[in-house]
PDB file of all heavy atoms in Angstrom:
ATOM      1  N   ALA B  26      -0.431  -9.449  13.995  1.00  0.00           N
ATOM      2  CA  ALA B  26      -1.223 -10.436  13.238  1.00  0.00           C
ATOM      3  C   ALA B  26      -0.992 -10.241  11.732  1.00  0.00           C
ATOM      4  O   ALA B  26      -0.829 -11.212  10.985  1.00  0.00           O
ATOM      5  CB  ALA B  26      -2.699 -10.292  13.572  1.00  0.00           C
ATOM      6  N   SER B  27      -0.964  -8.989  11.315  1.00  0.00           N
ATOM      7  CA  SER B  27      -0.745  -8.706   9.884  1.00  0.00           C
ATOM      8  C   SER B  27       0.638  -9.188   9.450  1.00  0.00           C
ATOM      9  O   SER B  27       0.783  -9.844   8.412  1.00  0.00           O
ATOM     10  CB  SER B  27      -0.834  -7.207   9.606  1.00  0.00           C
ATOM     11  OG  SER B  27      -2.086  -6.746   9.948  1.00  0.00           O
ATOM     12  N   VAL B  28       1.651  -8.851  10.270  1.00  0.00           N
ATOM     13  CA  VAL B  28       3.022  -9.255   9.929  1.00  0.00           C
ATOM     14  C   VAL B  28       3.122 -10.782   9.871  1.00  0.00           C
ATOM     15  O   VAL B  28       3.721 -11.343   8.943  1.00  0.00           O
ATOM     16  CB  VAL B  28       4.037  -8.664  10.948  1.00  0.00           C
ATOM     17  CG1 VAL B  28       5.420  -9.263  10.748  1.00  0.00           C
ATOM     18  CG2 VAL B  28       4.112  -7.156  10.802  1.00  0.00           C
ATOM     19  N   ALA B  29       2.473 -11.449  10.851  1.00  0.00           N
ATOM     20  CA  ALA B  29       2.537 -12.912  10.885  1.00  0.00           C
ATOM     21  C   ALA B  29       1.901 -13.514   9.635  1.00  0.00           C
ATOM     22  O   ALA B  29       2.438 -14.463   9.054  1.00  0.00           O
ATOM     23  CB  ALA B  29       1.835 -13.422  12.142  1.00  0.00           C
ATOM     24  N   THR B  30       0.781 -12.952   9.218  1.00  0.00           N
ATOM     25  CA  THR B  30       0.105 -13.523   8.037  1.00  0.00           C
ATOM     26  C   THR B  30       0.912 -13.271   6.775  1.00  0.00           C
ATOM     27  O   THR B  30       1.058 -14.172   5.936  1.00  0.00           O
ATOM     28  CB  THR B  30      -1.299 -12.898   7.852  1.00  0.00           C
ATOM     29  OG1 THR B  30      -1.851 -12.674   9.110  1.00  0.00           O
ATOM     30  CG2 THR B  30      -2.195 -13.776   7.032  1.00  0.00           C
ATOM     31  N   ILE B  31       1.421 -12.042   6.643  1.00  0.00           N
ATOM     32  CA  ILE B  31       2.239 -11.778   5.443  1.00  0.00           C
ATOM     33  C   ILE B  31       3.466 -12.690   5.471  1.00  0.00           C
ATOM     34  O   ILE B  31       3.861 -13.246   4.447  1.00  0.00           O
ATOM     35  CB  ILE B  31       2.685 -10.297   5.368  1.00  0.00           C
ATOM     36  CG1 ILE B  31       1.479  -9.377   5.372  1.00  0.00           C
ATOM     37  CG2 ILE B  31       3.518 -10.033   4.119  1.00  0.00           C
ATOM     38  CD1 ILE B  31       1.821  -7.923   5.469  1.00  0.00           C
ATOM     39  N   SER B  32       4.051 -12.841   6.672  1.00  0.00           N
ATOM     40  CA  SER B  32       5.233 -13.707   6.796  1.00  0.00           C
ATOM     41  C   SER B  32       4.916 -15.115   6.342  1.00  0.00           C
ATOM     42  O   SER B  32       5.690 -15.727   5.591  1.00  0.00           O
ATOM     43  CB  SER B  32       5.712 -13.755   8.250  1.00  0.00           C
ATOM     44  OG  SER B  32       6.199 -12.507   8.622  1.00  0.00           O
ATOM     45  N   ALA B  33       3.768 -15.641   6.805  1.00  0.00           N
ATOM     46  CA  ALA B  33       3.382 -17.008   6.414  1.00  0.00           C
ATOM     47  C   ALA B  33       3.219 -17.088   4.905  1.00  0.00           C
ATOM     48  O   ALA B  33       3.682 -18.044   4.264  1.00  0.00           O
ATOM     49  CB  ALA B  33       2.088 -17.387   7.112  1.00  0.00           C
ATOM     50  N   CYS B  34       2.576 -16.075   4.352  1.00  0.00           N
ATOM     51  CA  CYS B  34       2.328 -16.042   2.903  1.00  0.00           C
ATOM     52  C   CYS B  34       3.656 -16.011   2.133  1.00  0.00           C
ATOM     53  O   CYS B  34       3.876 -16.791   1.210  1.00  0.00           O
ATOM     54  CB  CYS B  34       1.485 -14.805   2.606  1.00  0.00           C
ATOM     55  SG  CYS B  34       1.106 -14.596   0.893  1.00  0.00           S
ATOM     56  N   VAL B 186      -6.074 -13.561   3.049  1.00  0.00           N
ATOM     57  CA  VAL B 186      -6.080 -13.326   4.501  1.00  0.00           C
ATOM     58  C   VAL B 186      -5.214 -12.105   4.831  1.00  0.00           C
ATOM     59  O   VAL B 186      -5.588 -11.265   5.654  1.00  0.00           O
ATOM     60  CB  VAL B 186      -5.584 -14.583   5.265  1.00  0.00           C
ATOM     61  CG1 VAL B 186      -5.525 -14.321   6.758  1.00  0.00           C
ATOM     62  CG2 VAL B 186      -6.503 -15.760   4.997  1.00  0.00           C
ATOM     63  N   SER B 187      -4.058 -12.000   4.159  1.00  0.00           N
ATOM     64  CA  SER B 187      -3.165 -10.849   4.411  1.00  0.00           C
ATOM     65  C   SER B 187      -3.872  -9.548   4.064  1.00  0.00           C
ATOM     66  O   SER B 187      -3.815  -8.581   4.828  1.00  0.00           O
ATOM     67  CB  SER B 187      -1.909 -10.927   3.546  1.00  0.00           C
ATOM     68  OG  SER B 187      -1.272 -12.127   3.720  1.00  0.00           O
ATOM     69  N   LEU B 190      -6.402  -8.754   6.715  1.00  0.00           N
ATOM     70  CA  LEU B 190      -5.816  -8.332   7.999  1.00  0.00           C
ATOM     71  C   LEU B 190      -5.174  -6.952   7.917  1.00  0.00           C
ATOM     72  O   LEU B 190      -5.327  -6.143   8.825  1.00  0.00           O
ATOM     73  CB  LEU B 190      -4.791  -9.368   8.472  1.00  0.00           C
ATOM     74  CG  LEU B 190      -5.388 -10.491   9.306  1.00  0.00           C
ATOM     75  CD1 LEU B 190      -4.362 -11.550   9.584  1.00  0.00           C
ATOM     76  CD2 LEU B 190      -5.940  -9.957  10.618  1.00  0.00           C
TER      77      LEU B 190
END
Side-chain angles (χ1 to χ4, degrees):
Chain B
S27 299
V28 170
T30 324
I31 302 173
S32 293
C34 179
V186 177
S187 306
L190 272 173

